[in-house]
Amino acid sequence: MSTAAVPAGTKWWSGGKSPFNLSYGKMMMWYFLMSDAFTFGAFLISYGTIRFSANYWPDPNHVFDSAPFIHGGAPLVFVSIMTFILIVSSVTMVLAVHEGHNMNRKGVEKYMLWTIIGGLAFLGCQAWEWTHLLTGEHAVLVNGEIVNMATTVKANPWGAAVPGMMHDGHAVTTAGPVAFGGFFFGITGFHGFHVLSGVVINIVMYIKTRLGHFDQRGHYEMIEKAGLYWHFVDLVWVFVFLCFYLI
């Protein structure tokens, strides 16, 4: 059995250098983000399947129509503010990575701090939204009529059947509000956990930057890897925003 000769000068990859021109850390971050994208994708596909097979579904223009000091009449205003905050934090992260490429420690510190503030602001907005949805009044659209879920189902506005309601001659089942509440709090909570994790990571990166650890290493690759994660979180929010707040 003969073996093909290897041409002189050919260098095979032996683990010392990545064939993809990426560091090991960056490659593993991309693998993690890809697997995480599959998880979010499975959740959103499940949501879409239930959403378009249910007898009725809450109208986002009536559910998400409030903001701090505004009780109704402002559909999607608050979530638009949340989205804007997250997008701005993504911009500040890009600037932090850029300053890291230039080995500018002060610039990295400044923009990482703004990114952290943006992440905390988004989490604060989400906390207010959850509190409002769990304790306030919510409306759904059934047969063209706005029905208050909080007063119709006193025990739990997001669960149980809606007594006495009919849709196309059939009793309204629990497929609508139960699934909506479960998917909404589950997926937005899962995303919020990612934002919280990103804020913690960014705080660690900020502290390490102030201590000069990256200057000692001679590069700011860790800031870039944290930036990849943060941009992923922002991208996922675009799909969550589309599925829950617009459709």
Side-chain angles (χ1 to χ4, degrees), residues 20-40:
F20 305 111
N21 197 28
L22 290 174
S23 67
Y24 178 82
K26 281 186 185 179
M27 190 185 303
M28 292 302 104
M29 176 59 76
W30 277 112
Y31 283 152
F32 166 73
L33 296 180
M34 183 172 61
S35 64
D36 215 15
F38 289 152
T39 304
F40 274 105

Side-chain angles (χ1 to χ4, degrees), residues 61-185:
N61 289 317
H62 298 295
V63 177
F64 308 107
D65 66 344
S66 299
F69 312 109
I70 302 176
H71 303 287
L76 305 182
V77 169
F78 188 63
V79 70
S80 298
I81 295 174
M82 293 172 60
T83 304
F84 177 76
I85 290 173
L86 207 56
I87 291 175
V88 170
S89 72
S90 187
V91 173
T92 56
M93 176 58 84
V94 169
L95 295 174
V97 172
H98 176 72
E99 295 297 336
H101 288 161
N102 294 331
M103 298 299 294
N104 182 3
R105 189 177 74 179
K106 291 298 182 181
V108 174
E109 290 178 11
K110 178 176 69 174
Y111 290 117
M112 285 299 294
L113 185 59
W114 279 114
T115 304
I116 293 167
I117 292 173
L120 292 174
F122 178 86
L123 291 173
C125 291
Q126 190 171 56
W128 182 92
E129 181 185 49
W130 274 35
T131 302
H132 171 74
L133 291 175
L134 291 171
T135 61
E137 296 184 351
H138 324 289
V140 296
L141 198 62
V142 179
N143 290 339
E145 297 181 0
I146 298 176
V147 181
N148 190 305
M149 288 295 293
T151 56
T152 304
V153 187
K154 297 180 180 179
N156 181 0
W158 301 96
V162 183
M165 290 189 186
M166 305 293 292
H167 180 76
D168 296 334
H170 301 284
V172 173
T173 66
T174 59
V178 170
F180 177 80
F183 275 111
F184 176 80
F185 290 115

Side-chain angles (χ1 to χ4, degrees), residues 202-213:
N202 289 341
I203 290 174
V204 173
M205 295 300 102
Y206 174 76
I207 294 173
K208 290 177 72 66
T209 301
R210 284 191 63 89
L211 294 177
H213 290 175

